[in-house]
Amino acid sequence: MGLMSSRDFDNYSSLFNLMLSLVKPPDLLIYLKSSIPNLVTQIQKRGREYEASIRLDYLQGLNDRYDEWIQNYSDGKKLIINVDTVKFEENPKDLSHVIDLIDGQLNGLF
């Protein structure tokens, strides 16, 4: 994205890889996938002043990179939940569905 020098990126990557070698991956990685309009709505709900100035192109680039990262994640089980349509924080049925999905991934129940 051009916001970090190559030297800093290499340092962060090196530190990240060291940390990965010291911890085991989670039993289940849960990725909350969202569209940009939904992300903006969530940012506005939080009302954090420092988030109000995030540019849409930056947010889109970040979202694209997260999507690419999760598609290539291979260190363990993963569950992708589209939070544009699954509103588990507002809807008890959606929360129950998410819990069932997690149980299924972890315990093979569903």
Side-chain angles (χ1 to χ4, degrees), residues 5-41:
S5 71
S6 295
R7 184 197 68 175
D8 287 347
F9 179 79
D10 291 342
N11 284 337
Y12 282 111
S13 293
S14 199
L15 178 60
F16 179 76
N17 289 327
L18 174 63
M19 290 175 15
L20 279 180
S21 73
L22 299 174
V23 296
K24 71 177 203 166
D27 295 332
L28 177 63
L29 180 71
I30 301 172
Y31 178 69
L32 304 177
K33 183 175 178 59
S34 180
S35 65
I36 298 302
N38 191 50
L39 289 173
V40 169
T41 298

Side-chain angles (χ1 to χ4, degrees), residues 3-101:
L3 301 176
M4 182 183 292
S5 71
S6 295
R7 184 197 68 175
D8 287 347
F9 179 79
D10 291 342
N11 284 337
Y12 282 111
S13 293
S14 199
L15 178 60
F16 179 76
N17 289 327
L18 174 63
M19 290 175 15
L20 279 180
S21 73
L22 299 174
V23 296
K24 71 177 203 166
D27 295 332
L28 177 63
L29 180 71
I30 301 172
Y31 178 69
L32 304 177
K33 183 175 178 59
S34 180
S35 65
I36 298 302
N38 191 50
L39 289 173
V40 169
T41 298
Q42 294 301 316
I43 289 169
Q44 290 171 342
K45 270 190 206 176
R46 285 193 296 268
R48 296 177 184 154
E49 189 176 319
Y50 65 91
E51 289 181 331
S53 62
I54 297 175
R55 293 187 346 247
L56 290 178
D57 62 327
Y58 176 80
L59 198 55
Q60 181 66 58
L62 193 58
N63 206 31
D64 291 344
R65 283 169 179 79
Y66 272 117
D67 283 344
E68 181 182 337
W69 179 81
I70 195 65
Q71 292 305 320
N72 294 310
Y73 179 79
S74 61
D75 292 330
K77 294 179 182 181
K78 65 183 173 186
L79 174 62
I80 300 171
I81 299 171
N82 184 334
V83 294
D84 288 352
T85 57
V86 179
K87 302 290 186 182
F88 62 87
E89 72 282 1
E90 302 166 3
N91 184 334
K93 287 183 181 179
D94 283 353
L95 178 58
S96 179
H97 175 67
V98 169
I99 291 168
D100 287 344
L101 290 172

